[in-house]
Amino acid sequence: MKAAPLDNADWLARSLAAVWHPCTQMQHHAAQDADALPLVPIARGEGAWLHDFEGNRYLDGISSWWVNLFGHANPRINAALKAQLETLEHVMLAGFTHQPAVELAERLRALTDGVLGHAFYASDGASATEIALKMSFHYWKNRGKAQKNRFLCLSGSYHGETLGALAVTDVACFREAYAPLTRAAATVPCPDARLAKANETAADVARRAAQCLETKLAAENENIAALILEPLVQGAAGMVMYDPEYLRLARALCDRYRVHLVCDEIAVGCGRTGTFFAHEQANIRPDLLCLSKGISGGYLPLSIVLCRDEIFQGFYDEEVARGFLHSHSYTGNPLACRAALATLDIFEQDDVLHTNLDRARKLYAALAPVAEHPKVRHLRQRGMILAFDAASDDPAFSRRFYRAALENAALIRPLGNTIYLMPPYIIGDKEIAHLGEAVRKALATALA
Ligand SMILES: *Cc1c(COP(=O)(O)O)cnc(C)c1O
């Protein structure tokens, strides 16, 4: 007799018994009350939809933690990966090289107009942050300025959760829990556009914040290696958006005070803000650029740090100790690089940045009616990121909203009181309408 297929409840029970889920108070999953956090077993994905084991489906409104760009089980990425799998699944990148790693580095360099000429590979975003910080410090050390060993970040910044990355992460709950283990970077004010006073524009807020940056750099540049920031949108802080003017000013100040500018485009890169890289909207280039999340289309763990040739040259020497000392076992994994190449192919073949303009307009139109709600504040958008804040002092608001969205067949996971949409770039008109409806209904439930 054939065993009955396992259903949602089976997978749920087994997961709770064996898997420790990330960024989760596990007890909330086990709770039975109104504030319980549902755990959803997923059997398969297709396009923008996730399917469970019992015929329910959920529209992936946040691209599965911001990684999925062209839908689940994308036929083109699948085909590229199958071919790569038959050719070379992995080889170490120390002493060896391979086609996907070379081609990806070349294509990313071309996307920066040749300014960021070398690519260093790793597997996740937090590692990319750490690589950029180490590279910056070590570059200055090789240049005889070892005292440049401090970093600056913006208030509310998020650059990952490993110990080194936590040092430049200013999200209170992450940072405070492990504060004794880190060497915290100094923070300078974030140019959050919501801070605009009457008669002030977002660019004015940016100029004010840049003055604080200047004061800090003028006083301490001898000890500062780099400023790290998330260009245009601070993701984990709650989709905090700011004017490109800040990036222009920060670039000029970093040049003047000889401090590296690190752009963490792990979340905002790969077309998310409308341009391929967010920093392009300020007409600048960073010294170091971190990429991850969307770069592999949401398929495989991959991160990349791109750097200027001048930084690369600072390590080029006889001596091993002057070389960059960093490695991960799966560095430059061919499958992950192949997924990234297939992702870049789709950007080119489908003219994605252009077609996203229309998608972004439709997303805004779908959310605009929600902004009429008296408890909705600051509806904002940058490309394919939309967000608003809900005025609620219910500590369980985000959990309630999340659950109500699932009940309306949508995956939308608020950051505190900030509700945001960050869907894959294949989302169609009907799906956009579905998301708008889900937000409206979930908001009504969560605020009730
Ligand atoms: C997600 C994220 C990271 C960390 O990436 P992980 O792969 O989760 O380690 C770093 N910076 C930003 C801006 C991110 O959004």
Side-chain angles (χ1 to χ4, degrees):
M1 205 180 82
K2 206 165 147 251
L6 295 177
D7 62 11
N8 284 348
D10 297 319
W11 288 115
L12 211 139
R14 284 170 63 178
S15 196
L16 288 178
V19 180
W20 197 338
H21 292 269
C23 208
T24 299
Q25 173 47 269
M26 291 295 289
Q27 200 194 66
H28 291 165
H29 276 327
Q32 304 290 335
D33 62 5
D35 293 341
L37 185 70
L39 177 65
V40 188
I42 293 301
R44 65 186 181 87
E46 191 182 350
W49 294 91
L50 296 163
H51 299 255
D52 72 5
F53 290 83
E54 295 173 0
N56 305 303
R57 58 180 200 159
Y58 307 92
L59 188 55
D60 190 346
I62 59 162
S63 300
S64 286
W65 258 354
W66 323 348
V67 300
N68 188 290
L69 300 191
F70 298 117
H72 298 275
N74 181 289
R76 283 186 274 177
I77 303 176
N78 285 5
L81 277 176
K82 281 177 191 158
Q84 185 61 45
L85 198 53
E86 298 298 333
T87 316
L88 177 67
E89 85 298 339
H90 184 67
V91 63
M92 60 194 282
L93 201 63
F96 292 85
T97 194
H98 54 80
Q99 189 180 349
V102 173
E103 287 183 1
L104 182 56
E106 289 175 350
R107 283 177 72 172
L108 291 171
R109 173 173 61 199
L111 283 168
T112 68
D113 296 325
V115 174
L116 303 178
H118 280 84
F120 195 96
Y121 288 108
S123 317
D124 53 62
S127 303
T129 295
E130 305 220 356
I131 287 162
L133 300 182
K134 281 175 68 180
M135 222 177 237
S136 172
F137 159 72
H138 200 165
Y139 169 86
W140 294 119
K141 186 174 149 196
N142 282 350
R143 288 270 184 260
K145 295 183 179 256
Q147 78 282 8
K148 280 170 93 67
N149 58 34
R150 315 289 315 198
F151 300 102
L152 288 184
C153 61
L154 301 189
S155 50
S157 58
Y158 179 92
H159 298 291
E161 294 169 50
T162 54
L163 289 178
L166 268 182
V168 288
T169 286
D170 185 42
V171 174
C173 70
F174 295 130
R175 189 156 168 167
E176 279 159 19
Y178 304 103
L181 307 184
T182 63
R183 182 168 175 265
T187 56
V188 288
C190 167
D192 183 346
R194 291 172 301 183
L195 300 174
K197 298 174 188 149
N199 301 323
E200 234 187 6
T201 64
D204 293 329
V205 180
R207 282 185 280 270
R208 261 201 283 132
Q211 272 165 17
C212 298
L213 174 62
E214 168 147 36
T215 306
K216 190 78 180 167
L217 286 174
E220 296 177 30
N221 67 81
E222 290 295 331
N223 303 317
I224 296 171
L227 163 69
I228 184 168
L229 48 74
E230 299 155 85
L232 300 185
V233 185
Q234 290 187 312
M239 300 302 155
V240 173
M241 301 189 184
Y242 64 88
D243 195 276
E245 178 70 2
Y246 187 78
L247 297 174
R248 277 189 287 276
L249 295 168
R251 174 71 275 179
L253 289 169
C254 285
D255 286 340
R256 169 140 34 107
Y257 291 104
R258 299 186 56 73
V259 162
H260 288 139
L261 176 62
V262 181
C263 281
D264 175 353
E265 299 228 8
I266 290 166
V268 294
C270 302
R272 196 42 88 173
T273 66
T275 42
F276 190 79
F277 297 118
H279 69 256
E280 290 168 42
Q281 294 181 41
N283 278 313
I284 59 149
R285 294 289 178 199
D287 300 301
L288 294 146
L289 174 67
C290 302
L291 286 178
S292 188
K293 292 209 164 99
I295 189 63
S296 70
Y299 267 70
L300 286 159
L302 175 68
S303 65
I304 303 149
V305 177
L306 299 175
C307 74
R308 289 184 187 255
D309 290 325
E310 189 198 333
I311 292 179
F312 175 80
Q313 288 303 332
F315 292 82
Y316 203 77
D317 196 89
E318 265 288 307
E319 241 184 276
V320 171
R322 285 177 68 91
F324 187 48
L325 306 172
H326 195 98
S327 60
H328 294 285
S329 311
Y330 282 99
T331 287
N333 174 257
L335 287 164
C337 292
R338 178 58 68 198
L341 288 166
T343 298
L344 294 180
D345 285 342
I346 296 176
F347 270 101
E348 281 180 17
Q349 290 160 8
D350 293 2
D351 198 7
V352 171
L353 295 178
H354 186 251
T355 57
N356 269 356
L357 293 174
D358 188 48
R359 239 174 237 114
R361 268 193 296 273
K362 287 172 174 159
L363 277 163
Y364 191 88
L367 277 196
V370 182
E372 308 287 314
H373 192 289
K375 296 217 161 150
V376 168
R377 311 268 186 276
H378 299 295
L379 176 62
R380 54 196 183 273
Q381 175 175 31
R382 180 72 73 175
M384 291 292 285
I385 308 175
L386 288 97
F388 63 83
D389 307 326
S392 163
D393 20 350
D394 176 2
F397 170 83
S398 76
R399 251 182 288 160
R400 288 196 177 163
F401 182 98
Y402 175 67
R403 198 161 85 170
L406 286 173
E407 280 159 8
N408 286 285
L411 162 50
I412 305 167
R413 193 178 144 111
L415 292 155
N417 281 11
T418 299
I419 290 146
Y420 70 94
L421 297 179
M422 215 158 145
Y425 307 159
I426 45 124
I427 191 165
D429 293 357
K430 277 203 189 118
E431 292 160 338
I432 288 174
H434 177 93
L435 275 184
E437 261 311 281
V439 170
R440 197 180 59 73
K441 288 185 181 156
L443 190 67
T445 307
L447 288 175

